[in-house]
Amino acid sequence: MNRVVITGMGTINPIGNNIETFKKNLFEGVCGIGPITKFDTTGFKVTLAAEVKDFDPLKYYDSLPEARRADLFTQYAIAAAVEAVDDSKIQGAVQPERFGVYVGSGIGGMHTFTTETLKLDQRGPSRVSPLFIPMMISNMAAGAISMRFGAKGPSLPVVTACATSTNTIGEAFRAIKHGYADAIIAGGTESTITPLATAGFDNCKALSEATDPSRASIPFDKERNGFVMGEGATILVLEEYEHAVSRGAHIYAEICGYGNTSDAYHMTAPHPEAEGAVQAILLAAQEGGITADAHLYINAHGTSTPMNDKTETIAIKKAFGDAAYATHISSTKSMTGHMLGATGATEAAACVLALVEQMVPPTINYVEKDPDCDLDCTPNTAVSAPLQAALSNSLGFGGHNAVIALKKI
């Protein structure tokens, strides 16, 4: 079986429009949450989100008309992919037929969907854009990336809600491990800070209605009351180890395990005994030869919802027993909010940076301890640690559980 490594990273997210800025703000505990600026929140109970700041599509597209032919979720994906591919120097160093794209989105072109729906309602069917379908469908980010970089190998857009981009990375890992590709652009993207999506998530009681950004996304805190919508994209370049070594590529970390399970329980609620999450953690850890101790970092799904954080704590304890208490854990959603289909890839990048920098990112704005969440969540301040491995957990609506395991190289 082939070994799989990460040789490039790129991101556009609420605390950084590139990996270097993201790294700085990640370890400094910068909060990316603030008042929603993308629409008028009059009449909405939810007024906060974790928005991408100062995004300029013309850095990645030749013209504004070209950019406007892509929904914002695709624009974010292209931006992150440009950084990751440039970072990896993979283009031209791999056969196009052995170069794949596994990039997903939980929802796809929500901006396009709502804009064109209003056109239909207000102006009639003749006014709906002929680009409506290709801009809206959630596989288009992967398609656009493959066209941008001439990647003609395996392509697999995944849609598993909040687990989407952990699944894309995991499936890309398997494809390279078993010899179907030499390199794959993998990750996720999302842009759903819209009136419709915000109202929908809020009405299913998923979002925090806090008005103070420092008390909105507060994973594992006893006062947590819902997640904060985030947006953006993160892309990793995965590469077969010998291929990377032969071309002198910079290697960030190794991906060594993947778990993929389903709760088969409920549309939105996690299984109360965390059965599927436990199994996903164990599958990834066992494949990667990882055990829980002071050398392990777990980037928890940690959404700041009452049930998720409680059941995820149960899952980690069931998977690792008493050793869970010696393990470094944090939820970076306290800074980025919940980026939905992009969250898993963003948190995988956080795991890579933790291994490279030997530093555990914090769970910020943590105030009141919850006895149901009694593991070490690295409250408020980053901690130096001799990390050797990391797990990134993603637990999605529909009961989708995905976990990837990484090792320091």
Side-chain angles (χ1 to χ4, degrees):
M1 297 293 179
N2 298 318
R3 293 172 66 187
V4 182
V5 294
I6 296 167
T7 57
M9 298 196 292
T11 193
I12 295 284
N13 72 63
I15 62 169
N17 287 359
N18 53 65
I19 287 293
E20 280 302 312
T21 304
F22 176 53
K23 177 175 73 173
K24 177 179 181 293
N25 290 336
L26 180 74
F27 294 119
E28 290 182 0
V30 171
C31 183
I33 297 165
I36 293 172
T37 66
K38 290 182 177 288
F39 63 90
D40 182 356
T41 58
T42 301
F44 283 77
K45 295 177 182 178
V46 171
T47 60
L48 300 178
E51 297 180 344
V52 167
K53 288 86 174 169
D54 302 319
F55 176 69
D56 181 5
L58 291 181
K59 291 182 178 179
Y60 313 100
Y61 290 87
D62 291 336
S63 68
L64 196 55
E66 182 189 7
R68 285 175 174 168
R69 294 168 69 90
D71 188 272
L72 190 55
F73 88 104
T74 297
Q75 293 179 22
Y76 286 161
I78 286 289
V82 166
E83 182 184 10
V85 170
D86 286 351
D87 183 35
S88 71
K89 301 177 177 62
I90 188 68
Q91 196 168 18
V94 61
Q95 295 178 12
E97 293 76 16
R98 301 283 297 172
F99 191 21
V101 180
Y102 284 32
V103 174
S105 177
I107 295 177
M110 181 60 74
H111 290 273
T112 298
F113 182 88
T114 53
T115 298
E116 298 304 318
T117 299
L118 287 171
K119 284 185 187 178
L120 174 65
D121 181 58
Q122 296 170 3
R123 302 169 67 186
S126 66
R127 304 303 297 179
V128 173
S129 171
L131 294 174
F132 168 50
I133 298 301
M135 287 177 65
M136 178 270 295
I137 50 179
S138 56
N139 69 304
M140 194 49 62
I145 290 169
S146 70
M147 288 181 269
R148 175 66 69 98
F149 298 108
K152 298 180 179 180
S155 180
L156 185 67
V158 172
V159 180
T160 49
C162 316
T164 291
S165 53
T166 300
N167 282 131
T168 61
I169 293 168
E171 297 300 326
F173 158 72
R174 283 184 176 169
I176 297 172
K177 179 177 180 177
H178 293 282
Y180 296 103
D182 294 324
I184 295 178
I185 300 167
T189 183
E190 206 78 82
S191 178
T192 56
I193 302 175
T194 66
L196 181 61
T198 302
F201 275 113
D202 190 37
N203 288 345
C204 74
K205 307 302 181 185
L207 297 183
S208 171
E209 296 177 357
T211 57
D212 178 357
S214 70
R215 298 303 293 158
S217 183
I218 48 173
F220 305 112
D221 190 296
K222 190 174 182 179
E223 294 183 354
R224 66 191 184 278
N225 59 14
F227 74 79
V228 172
M229 191 93 74
E231 63 172 352
T234 297
I235 300 294
L236 308 180
V237 174
L238 276 57
E239 189 171 351
E240 192 274 322
Y241 174 74
E242 296 295 343
H243 188 277
V245 170
S246 69
R247 69 182 187 88
H250 172 71
I251 296 174
Y252 285 98
E254 179 175 0
I255 299 182
C256 55
Y258 172 44
N260 177 10
T261 68
S262 181
D263 286 349
Y265 172 71
H266 190 272
M267 289 171 64
T268 57
H271 191 285
E273 297 303 318
E275 292 177 359
V278 173
Q279 185 66 9
I281 292 169
L282 288 173
L283 286 169
Q286 289 167 1
E287 183 177 14
I290 290 171
T291 56
D293 56 26
H295 302 292
L296 174 65
Y297 167 54
I298 300 176
N299 188 297
H301 190 56
T303 58
S304 186
T305 60
M307 284 303 297
N308 176 90
D309 298 4
K310 177 181 177 180
T311 56
E312 189 173 10
T313 301
I314 292 170
I316 295 169
K317 290 178 181 178
K318 283 187 173 181
F320 295 124
D322 288 343
Y325 288 93
T327 299
H328 301 281
I329 300 166
S330 70
S331 172
T332 48
K333 288 185 180 70
S334 58
M335 293 175 269
T336 66
H338 192 344
M339 296 168 62
L340 307 180
T343 204
T346 304
E347 290 161 12
C351 287
V352 172
L353 294 171
L355 293 173
V356 169
E357 300 297 323
Q358 295 289 279
M359 183 77 67
V360 180
T363 303
I364 68 167
N365 295 322
Y366 182 88
V367 175
E368 187 169 354
K369 186 171 183 178
D370 184 345
D372 289 331
C373 302
D374 60 345
L375 300 177
D376 178 9
C377 69
T378 319
N380 300 317
T381 305
V383 174
S384 290
L387 301 175
Q388 294 299 315
L391 295 175
S392 183
N393 297 346
S394 294
L395 317 173
F397 277 8
H400 296 284
N401 307 295
V403 179
I404 55 171
L406 303 99
K407 283 184 177 177
K408 184 177 182 291
I409 203 79

